Amino acid sequence: MVRTHFFGQYLLEQSLIDPDALTRGLQYQQSNNKVLGQIAIEQGLLDSTEVQQIIDRQLGEDNDFGQVAVEMGLITAAALDGLLGRQREQHIYLGAALVKLEILSQAFQTFNEATQQLQDSYDDLKERVKLLDLELAKKNEELEKNLAEKEEVKNYLNNILESLTTGVIVIDKQGRITTFNKTAGWITGLTPESCLGKPLPDLFHDDLFENMVSRLVKTGGSPLSMDREIITANGSKIHIQASASPVLDPDDAQIGTLLIVKDMTRIRHLEIEAQRSQRLREMGEMAAGIAHEIRNPLGSIELFASLLKKDVETDEEKSTLVEHIRSGVKNMDRIISTLLLYAKSPRPSQQKCNLHPLLSTLLTGTSDMVIPGNIKIVQNFGEGDALVNGDQELLKQVFSNLIRNAIQAMPNGGELNLTTKKVNAPSNQPEADNDHRQFITITVSDTGQGIPADHLVKIFNPFFSTKDKGTGLGLSISHNIIKAHQGTIDAESEKGKQTTFTVKLPSWDNEFDEK
């Protein structure tokens, strides 16, 4: 039977659907390819063009698809009933399409709601991430500030460590060096870079430091100190004071050893110099007193010998004896005069003195000094003038005495070396330890037989001499003159080796000495 009323029209009449929803349902039904027209095409009753014509008329007149097909004579009523039965079997009709469309619409609505929730959650998460980023940036800034402050403190402490005038060496529990400051390098003759991470025995041939570390462990960490002479990496002998103490962690457990090293060479030298000066001063005062007591009777002897000579002029033998008396008196008077010169503290004039021409004059024969032909003179003068603040005549007396002693130490010939150079600081001392004034060092060395060690410590004592002739006052007087110039004089020698005298004098300073 032919349907005269289609399902969509019924829904409209019953106000169960609006026209727009019906149109969307029909479009969905058409796109689903399971509408009545599709079934007719599958059955071979209609072709696609005829189906499209029916659909167009159906939409325009709001009539049922089957009714339009019958009216257009494209299909019989019986065929239409068959198609409707097939459609019912497959449950593909407009109502189902509308139900599916409603479900799809709800699905879209649910999807949209879920999407909105996700969007809201994303925005909330984005805001929280933004706050976390700000907080993290603040924490990073505080961390960088703390690190910068710690680095600044570390650099400050390291600068203090490197500026100390004492050597600082830290050894860990494995015996390896973890800290070695610049002053420690100056004292030992090593570079800090070459010492870090190495054990003590690999760097120091002397076992002083190693023994101190071992003893510190045995004594339970009680600090200890030792004074000792060591040989540095460059072969120099220095006197050091070393102290050891434990490095403790917050729990008072020892994690290493701290060694403090001081170069006491200069201080020890000053102590020896002070002792020597005190001894010489006392001997000088005693000698001066004796000299005055002796000179008075010598004057009487000289007077009576002169009178006696007149009485025995006719007796040649007696005259000769009287002349021996007068000669002995004159020699004694010369010794006493020299002794008084030693006892009297010299007061050098403060003037600019160039040592190079002074030394050259002593060596060229223009002075009263005679240099044998079997002695070779080697002059190694530094560049420029060797200007010092001193008394030229007194300094000439000092160097004349040193050169004469060197010549007398080489009776069979040899080599006499004179060297001058400018220095800024004492040996093995950091530059910060000097008084910012330059010095001129003058060395006089010979290739003689050397001086025994027991004699070397006495050579500046008055009346000490290893020569058959001489008063033993030359070096004592030279010592006093150099000391009066605020300088130093030292001797180095070994039996069978060369002897070297080193004189150090303050150089002329235009800023201070002109005033």
Side-chain angles (χ1 to χ4, degrees), residues 191-431:
T191 59
E193 294 78 11
S194 65
C195 299
L196 296 177
K198 295 183 179 179
L200 289 172
D202 292 355
L203 300 173
F204 301 101
H205 300 295
D206 195 294
D207 58 357
L208 172 64
F209 298 142
E210 189 176 2
N211 290 341
M212 293 183 70
V213 173
S214 300
R215 185 177 300 179
L216 187 69
V217 175
K218 294 178 182 179
T219 58
S222 299
L224 54 97
S225 179
M226 296 181 66
D227 286 10
R228 183 167 165 179
E229 187 179 79
I230 66 170
I231 299 177
T232 64
N234 51 25
S236 301
K237 288 184 178 180
I238 63 171
H239 195 95
I240 65 168
Q241 181 186 75
S243 60
S245 58
V247 179
L248 306 177
D249 64 9
D251 297 327
D252 290 335
Q254 183 174 352
I255 58 175
T257 303
L258 171 65
L259 294 175
I260 302 296
V261 184
K262 296 181 181 179
D263 187 353
M264 306 297 290
T265 305
R266 190 180 183 188
I267 296 177
R268 181 53 59 91
H269 177 79
L270 292 175
E271 290 175 351
I272 296 174
E273 189 73 19
Q275 294 173 1
R276 181 195 298 167
S277 298
Q278 180 65 25
R279 183 173 64 252
L280 296 180
R281 185 181 301 108
E282 293 172 354
M283 295 178 67
E285 292 173 356
M286 180 184 66
I290 296 174
H292 282 295
E293 294 297 327
I294 296 176
R295 175 165 277 187
N296 291 332
L298 279 180
S300 299
I301 295 172
E302 170 71 17
L303 177 60
F304 290 129
S306 298
L307 295 175
L308 182 61
K309 184 179 181 180
K310 291 180 181 181
D311 293 338
V312 296
E313 286 180 345
T314 57
D315 190 334
E316 183 177 351
E317 183 179 354
K318 293 181 179 179
S319 295
T320 301
L321 293 174
V322 171
E323 190 61 36
H324 281 310
I325 294 173
R326 294 187 63 193
S327 177
V329 170
K330 289 180 179 179
N331 187 49
M332 183 66 72
D333 186 65
R334 180 180 61 81
I335 294 174
I336 291 173
S337 297
T338 304
L339 183 59
L340 291 174
L341 179 62
Y342 161 74
K344 181 182 179 182
S345 298
R347 296 183 178 180
S349 60
Q350 302 292 318
Q351 54 185 304
K352 186 186 295 184
C353 177
N354 192 350
L355 295 180
H356 287 168
L358 184 151
L359 295 173
S360 297
T361 301
L362 295 175
L363 297 173
T364 55
T366 57
S367 64
D368 59 353
M369 187 180 301
V370 178
I371 301 177
N374 61 352
I375 292 180
K376 178 182 178 182
I377 305 297
V378 177
Q379 300 182 44
N380 185 18
F381 293 166
E383 297 181 359
D385 296 331
L387 300 178
V388 298
N389 185 1
D391 190 310
Q392 182 168 333
E393 293 303 320
L394 291 177
L395 292 177
K396 184 183 293 185
Q397 181 181 345
V398 171
F399 293 115
S400 176
N401 184 54
L402 294 178
I403 293 173
R404 185 178 290 108
N405 288 346
I407 293 173
Q408 294 174 356
M410 299 182 290
N412 299 324
E415 187 174 282
L416 174 62
N417 288 274
L418 273 82
T419 303
T420 65
K421 65 178 180 179
K422 293 181 180 180
V423 295
N424 292 325
S427 175
N428 298 311
Q429 290 289 331
E431 294 182 2

